[in-house]
Amino acid sequence: MGEVLALVEARLRSALGEPDARAAVTFLGTDRIEVLRFIDGDVVRYATLGMSARPMNDPEDALADPVKGPRAELVLSVRAGSAETDKVLRPLAVLASSPQVEGVVVAPGNSMDVGEPLWPGAPFTSVLVAESGGLVEDLELGGPMDPVRFLPLLPMTPNEAAWKRVHGAEKLQERWLTQGTDLRDPLRSSVPLT
């Protein structure tokens, strides 16, 4: 477990630079989840560290495999300065602990909801999980372990989350793209959905 997390942190540092802050959260019955903050010009990136320590297993499986199964960490990027986005640390840790707590497998196209604003004044309570491989490359661990995927999180307004449930993640992402939506804007309004 410690070896995997050391490799994950090294990959995050090589892709995003040195973290300027980190915080740790532990929920009852779960492993410790850290959130690292990286500053890149006017963009702040928050990355979880700890979710990938164990593989995610399908809750339908009778026995959880301690080695095989998907592994991931979460990455959120927002513009700095216009909101108290550092308050996202606890909600991010909640999302990162969901495979252990709820037995979910986090994958691209999933919606994840924390039930409260991601930070004070945020119009978002949920996120869309996007495809890995862009900002931080997947980390190969060597067989039989699956690679660690660094999954970007895209904040969604409640209207966008509801629209996504009906039309799907791909259609929502197309809508954001055609409308030129700045997904890093921590105070943006919902994209037009009609």
Side-chain angles (χ1 to χ4, degrees), residues 8 33 35 39 54 56 58 64-65 70 72 77 84 91 112 115 118 130 135 138 149 155 174 176 179 181 185:
V8 168
I33 301 287
V35 179
I39 306 289
R54 300 171 191 239
M56 295 179 277
D58 189 323
D65 191 315
S77 300
E84 291 183 75
M112 302 175 76
L118 293 176
L135 186 62
D138 294 352
R149 300 173 76 197
E174 285 174 18
W176 281 335
Q179 296 292 322
T181 306
D185 180 352

Side-chain angles (χ1 to χ4, degrees), residues 2 6 20-21 23-24 30 37 46 70 78 86-87 92 99 115-117 149 165 173 180-181 183 188-189:
D20 78 322
T30 66
R37 183 180 71 186
Y46 301 94
V78 292
D86 279 351
K87 304 282 185 184
L92 269 181
E116 62 184 37
R149 300 173 76 197
R165 280 192 293 278
Q173 289 178 300
T181 306
L183 296 173
R188 74 171 177 84
S189 55

Side-chain angles (χ1 to χ4, degrees), residues 6 56 62 68 171:
M56 295 179 277
K68 295 181 186 174
K171 290 288 186 193

Side-chain angles (χ1 to χ4, degrees), residues 9-193:
E9 184 168 355
R11 174 58 53 94
L12 286 168
R13 287 172 184 265
S14 69
L16 304 176
E18 287 298 310
D20 78 322
R22 66 193 308 147
V25 179
T26 305
F27 302 102
L28 187 63
T30 66
D31 295 331
R32 170 183 160 125
I33 301 287
E34 289 189 77
V35 179
L36 284 60
R37 183 180 71 186
F38 301 86
I39 306 289
D40 181 11
D42 70 338
V43 175
V44 182
R45 301 187 198 285
Y46 301 94
T48 63
L49 179 63
M51 182 177 169
S52 62
R54 300 171 191 239
M56 295 179 277
N57 289 284
D58 189 323
E60 302 293 318
D61 293 346
L63 190 60
D65 191 315
V67 178
K68 295 181 186 174
R71 295 175 188 255
E73 296 291 352
L74 308 175
V75 181
L76 174 70
S77 300
V78 292
R79 295 213 183 286
S82 60
E84 291 183 75
T85 57
D86 279 351
K87 304 282 185 184
V88 78
L89 301 177
R90 184 169 177 77
L92 269 181
V94 167
L95 295 175
S97 66
S98 62
Q100 287 183 57
V101 174
E102 299 170 27
V104 297
V105 175
V106 178
N110 289 162
S111 298
M112 302 175 76
D113 196 312
V114 293
E116 62 184 37
L118 293 176
W119 51 82
F124 321 106
T125 61
S126 62
V127 294
L128 175 65
V129 181
E131 289 288 340
S132 67
L135 186 62
V136 183
E137 286 185 34
D138 294 352
L139 173 64
E140 295 293 334
L141 296 175
M145 293 190 285
D146 289 23
V148 176
R149 300 173 76 197
F150 297 88
L151 301 171
L153 300 180
L154 309 174
M156 292 188 293
T157 66
N159 286 347
E160 291 169 339
W163 197 86
K164 182 256 176 196
R165 280 192 293 278
V166 174
H167 299 282
E170 190 175 311
K171 290 288 186 193
L172 178 59
Q173 289 178 300
E174 285 174 18
R175 181 65 56 117
W176 281 335
L177 189 60
T178 58
Q179 296 292 322
T181 306
D182 180 2
L183 296 173
R184 293 180 181 166
D185 180 352
L187 298 174
R188 74 171 177 84
S189 55
S190 185
V191 70
L193 298 169

